[in-house]
Amino acid sequence: MSRPPTSDGSTGSPSGYVLPAEGLGELFDALVRRGYTLVGPTVRDGAVVYDRLSSPQDLPVGLTDEQEAGRYRLRARPDRAYFGYTVGPHSWKRFLQPPERVLWRAVRDGDGFRVEAAPEEAVRYAFVGVRACELAALAVQDRVFMGGSHTDPLYRARRADAFVVAVQCGQAGATCFCSSMGTGPRCTGGYDLVLTELLGGEHRFYLEAGSPRGDEVLAELPCRPASPEDRQAADQAVSRAEAQMGRRLETQGVRELLLRNLEHPRWDQVAGRCLSCGNCTLVCPTCFCFAVEDTTDLSGQVAERRARWDSCFTGQFSYLHGGSVRATTRARYRQWLTHKLATWWDQFGSSGCVGCGRCITWCPVGIDLTEEVAAIRGSDGLRSGREASGENP
Amino acid sequence: MRARRPKLAVWKFASCDGCQLSLLNCEDELLALADRVEVAYFLEASRAVVRGPYDLSLVEGSVSTPEDADRIRQVRKASRYLVTIGACATAGGVQALRNFADCQEFLSTVYARPEFIRTLERSTPIADHVPVDFELRGCPVDRAQLLEVISAFLAGRRPRVATHSVCVECKRRGLVCVMVAQGTPCLGPVTQAGCGALCPGVRRGCYGCFGPAESPNTASLARAWSQLGATAQEVARAFRTFNAAADAFRAESERHERG
Ligand code: SF4
Ligand code: SF4
Ligand code: SF4
Ligand code: SF4
């Protein structure tokens, strides 16, 4: 069914439309017809993860999440919402920058060897259910992988092809602080389509397109033009999320705050709790670091160069000729926090944190960066005695 | 002309043979291995013995008898490279539980004629007795890591074996954290990677088979375990299994055993 023209006869965005909840499957079908592999939220092992989707029934229907520092639980909702939860342990970087991949392979050939480029899986993803903070995270990673003169071909190819279906948050989690970071909860761009799920009264989606591709898909859906009430309901849903924001981070001057407090005793305190396990960086949608590793096989005929997700919490990460530059957990946690909130500005012109709260929820000991920043702010200028003792960072 | 193949020897000390079995389990790679090395001494696989010296010795098991303490010196002398494999060889193994108690008391309880038993008071890793070129962790060792170590030796490069936490592997696999999502205590954050996060992959907490990771904050993890409801005794027991005598795990278990 084609999309009815609006009152002025145009079909251009961003005029809103309404899709009945039963019509969500048609969005899936339209994307599959275009050759997209659909990935998005689904339940596995007690959490909302991102994986292949074949129908809206694969979404976490009727479920929500409860999150706190170091704690995550799924709960039933009183309704049949498709998107009634916030972000889980996965992020879209898993698809654009896979956790493990072969970069190239060298095979012995007579006296020499020949280099074979890795066969990259050509896959066109449609990301279904991307939240505002995640759109911001995609933009951050775009700058990292495609911004400068060195770009990552796999990331670039997958990103250019990816169709982004964003979803406005109708509720915020207890560890969310996107409003502090200016990244959400409202999606304002960077998507092909954006949905707002409306649950009061008729279960329906308010839809807007954000690109010509989005317009084309929208035109195939069984939509009706949105009424002013629909639009208002959609707007209120996001305002509700805004009001529920569970955490806050004062960003005013945070770069300078952290950089002038490199010897603050709070770093020692947090190092007493931190496990240096790396979970916070691995769940973070903007952390991009990977290790490049060379290996040879048993036959001695094949050498491979692989990339794997790494973390500044590992010793190998800062290993330089004979030792790790950041040998202590204190140095590693400080690197992490100052990179996210301070030096990222110098490097990429933005914050490295989008306020999604994943690092708080998925830290096994519940270390909360908003609390750490607040503590340093609360005792700005305090210094630990370690300089006097001559101890290294 | 084909160069002489390096001679491989596999030695057993106090152990369960599981790590040697991991090598035999490399079915697909065994032929390629035999092609690259001469299996000169591997009693678990063959009675045929080629005399030393050996280019690469893989040593399974801990030192727990006076004879073993002598024998490991002979093995070291006969080996160009000596790589220890498994928790027994790298940390003393589960038999190092004796280190926490009175060995003589065990002897008289377990054996009808304890006077026939000659054993050491403590079970100790190979590196306590002789210099070791590389230690491969695990109870048992991981097949792929074992092949990686042998391949690295053959290529004259460093083995690519990570020393970070199991959590890194767990997250790369995309598993959902059992501590955070289920409240199941897990040793992953303080345990060295290598198994591919086997236990979290089946929704259980890590048991610490690969021993302490590079910077193990066991005290903080133990506090988190208590918050999840683990008793002091449970914490002590968790740190006291296959790697009970590894420093970080030993110290943490001792902090809780009388708790
Ligand atoms: S915080 Fe650490 S892992 Fe994340 S991008 Fe920065 S250096 Fe890399
Ligand atoms: S630092 Fe934490 S809150 Fe910020 S983007 Fe990363 S995971 Fe989200
Ligand atoms: S802050 Fe938490 S998640 Fe990050 S390394 Fe430390 S303990 Fe692990
Ligand atoms: S399940 Fe265990 S190994 Fe995996 S991330 Fe959680 S604490 Fe780490």
Side-chain angles (χ1 to χ4, degrees):
Chain A
M1 193 179 123
S2 76
R3 185 157 59 110
T6 50
S7 50
D8 64 357
S10 85
T11 55
S13 49
S15 33
Y17 290 84
V18 164
L19 177 72
E22 315 81 69
L24 193 58
E26 306 213 18
L27 169 61
F28 279 50
D29 295 344
L31 293 168
V32 170
R33 273 199 301 279
R34 283 173 167 71
Y36 288 111
T37 298
L38 269 61
V39 288
T42 191
V43 172
R44 193 204 301 153
D45 296 328
V48 173
V49 298
Y50 294 160
D51 208 340
R52 306 247 162 148
L53 301 176
S54 50
S55 86
Q57 292 318 307
D58 293 340
L59 294 165
V61 185
L63 290 174
T64 191
D65 48 10
E66 264 173 34
Q67 304 197 32
E68 247 318 317
R71 191 184 153 87
Y72 180 103
R73 292 292 184 278
L74 285 181
R75 298 276 180 249
R77 291 175 58 99
D79 53 35
R80 302 284 297 158
Y82 287 105
F83 297 101
Y85 40 85
T86 61
V87 295
H90 286 186
S91 70
W92 308 100
K93 74 176 178 183
R94 168 165 297 280
F95 304 100
L96 297 172
Q97 184 213 352
E100 229 167 326
R101 61 176 159 135
V102 175
L103 297 175
W104 51 262
R105 188 174 276 133
V107 183
R108 238 188 245 284
D109 193 359
D111 283 341
F113 59 88
R114 74 177 183 275
V115 174
E116 297 172 350
E120 298 288 16
E121 196 194 343
V123 43
R124 298 172 71 219
Y125 285 117
F127 296 154
V128 178
V130 182
R131 306 305 176 112
C133 61
E134 299 186 305
L135 292 170
L138 286 170
V140 169
Q141 288 221 323
D142 287 351
R143 284 191 287 278
V144 173
F145 288 113
M146 314 195 295
S149 46
H150 302 286
T151 64
D152 183 313
L154 179 79
Y155 184 96
R156 179 200 281 282
R158 290 190 173 180
R159 182 71 171 104
D161 281 344
F163 189 100
V164 176
V165 180
V167 168
Q168 302 284 14
C169 286
Q171 66 187 55
T175 56
C176 292
F177 58 102
C178 61
S179 57
S180 295
M181 303 315 290
T183 57
R186 198 174 299 273
C187 303
T188 54
Y191 49 76
D192 295 296
L193 278 177
V194 60
L195 320 181
T196 312
E197 185 165 29
L198 302 175
L199 290 153
E202 180 202 1
H203 188 185
R204 64 202 193 280
F205 293 98
Y206 173 79
L207 250 87
E208 279 177 16
S211 71
R213 288 200 292 205
D215 272 325
E216 276 173 39
V217 170
L218 219 164
E220 290 173 25
L221 304 180
C223 294
R224 59 170 193 265
S227 67
E229 293 74 39
D230 295 323
R231 233 181 294 270
Q232 202 194 356
D235 196 60
Q236 278 168 358
V238 190
S239 304
R240 215 167 31 241
E242 174 105 51
Q244 285 173 353
M245 211 54 56
R247 293 283 200 279
R248 230 187 120 257
L249 193 147
E250 176 54 61
T251 55
Q252 185 66 41
V254 70
R255 177 182 171 280
E256 293 68 28
L257 173 78
L258 293 179
L259 295 183
R260 72 172 170 263
N261 280 290
L262 295 177
E263 300 303 331
H264 198 282
R266 186 72 189 189
W267 303 116
D268 299 290
Q269 284 170 38
V270 73
R273 298 173 62 205
C274 177
L275 306 165
S276 212
C277 63
N279 274 302
C280 46
T281 62
L282 298 158
V283 294
C284 178
T286 69
C287 274
F288 54 83
C289 287
F290 56 91
V292 175
E293 299 173 341
D294 294 332
T295 179
T296 50
D297 73 346
L298 196 56
S299 70
Q301 300 302 305
V302 183
E304 256 179 16
R305 172 159 288 187
R306 299 184 195 156
R308 301 189 199 212
W309 284 2
D310 200 0
S311 163
C312 50
F313 282 95
T314 72
Q316 196 63 38
F317 184 91
S318 67
Y319 186 94
L320 293 175
H321 188 71
S324 186
V325 175
R326 295 187 203 103
T328 62
T329 298
R330 171 183 183 270
R332 293 180 195 165
Y333 187 86
R334 190 177 65 179
Q335 153 64 22
W336 175 72
L337 194 64
T338 53
H339 192 209
K340 299 266 82 163
L341 296 173
T343 53
W344 207 289
W345 284 99
D346 305 284
Q347 200 180 1
F348 300 111
S350 75
S351 171
C353 173
V354 297
C356 72
R358 284 181 178 88
C359 56
I360 306 173
T361 299
W362 297 97
C363 172
V365 292
I367 292 173
D368 175 347
L369 80 167
T370 66
E371 203 179 301
E372 296 310 306
V373 172
I376 291 178
R377 201 180 278 284
S379 51
D380 190 358
L382 210 60
R383 295 171 87 83
S384 67
R386 67 175 52 239
E387 272 169 321
S389 71
E391 198 183 325
N392 279 327
Chain B
M1 201 192 80
R2 189 169 164 164
R4 182 184 76 84
R5 286 173 304 161
K7 281 202 268 183
L8 174 77
V10 184
W11 308 93
K12 175 184 161 64
F13 286 77
S15 60
C16 77
D17 290 38
C19 292
Q20 295 185 66
L21 279 176
S22 300
L23 183 56
L24 285 177
N25 263 339
C26 299
E27 290 168 10
D28 295 339
E29 296 86 2
L30 274 182
L31 281 179
L33 180 65
D35 205 42
R36 295 277 280 148
V37 300
E38 179 185 4
V39 182
Y41 184 95
F42 188 7
L43 293 186
E44 178 125 346
S46 161
R47 275 187 300 181
V49 168
V50 180
R51 288 168 57 109
Y54 306 98
D55 295 287
L56 174 63
S57 276
L58 301 177
V59 178
E60 174 196 88
S62 69
V63 172
S64 69
T65 65
E67 289 74 21
D68 280 353
D70 287 339
R71 190 161 57 100
I72 190 60
R73 287 193 187 88
Q74 304 309 316
V75 170
R76 176 69 265 191
K77 265 193 213 126
S79 313
R80 199 162 132 236
Y81 289 103
L82 190 157
V83 171
T84 51
I85 58 170
C88 299
T90 59
V94 72
Q95 59 273 27
L97 287 175
R98 72 164 70 159
N99 303 7
F100 299 91
D102 180 359
C103 190
Q104 293 313 314
E105 206 179 304
F106 284 142
L107 284 184
S108 49
T109 315
V110 174
Y111 297 98
R113 306 288 300 272
E115 61 273 25
F116 291 142
I117 307 292
R118 254 171 29 107
T119 188
L120 297 169
E121 284 293 318
R122 295 166 67 241
S123 165
T124 45
I126 300 298
D128 280 8
H129 301 265
V130 296
V132 168
D133 296 297
F134 190 80
E135 293 190 302
L136 185 64
R137 306 272 199 87
C139 186
V141 291
D142 174 75
R143 221 170 61 94
Q145 284 201 331
L146 184 56
L147 288 170
E148 163 60 16
V149 168
I150 298 172
S151 304
F153 163 77
L154 291 170
R157 62 175 173 83
R158 247 170 60 166
R160 192 183 46 76
V161 171
T163 53
H164 56 59
S165 69
V166 173
C167 299
V168 174
E169 293 186 304
C170 192
K171 284 289 184 287
R172 281 192 195 129
R173 274 186 69 182
L175 299 176
V176 173
C177 178
V178 300
M179 259 186 87
V180 172
Q182 292 176 189
T184 304
C186 180
L187 284 180
V190 297
T191 300
Q192 181 169 303
C195 63
L198 211 53
C199 289
V202 292
R203 314 310 300 142
R204 306 202 307 197
C206 165
Y207 288 91
C209 306
F210 282 62
E214 57 195 6
S215 38
N217 191 344
T218 51
S220 174
L221 186 66
R223 280 195 297 274
W225 275 46
S226 321
Q227 277 158 20
L228 294 176
T231 62
Q233 197 192 24
E234 283 164 345
V235 173
R237 283 210 172 147
F239 283 106
R240 200 168 282 185
T241 59
F242 329 103
N243 290 282
D247 276 343
F249 285 8
R250 178 191 48 73
E252 198 56 41
S253 74
E254 283 170 351
R255 274 197 281 277
H256 299 269
E257 74 185 326
R258 275 171 289 273

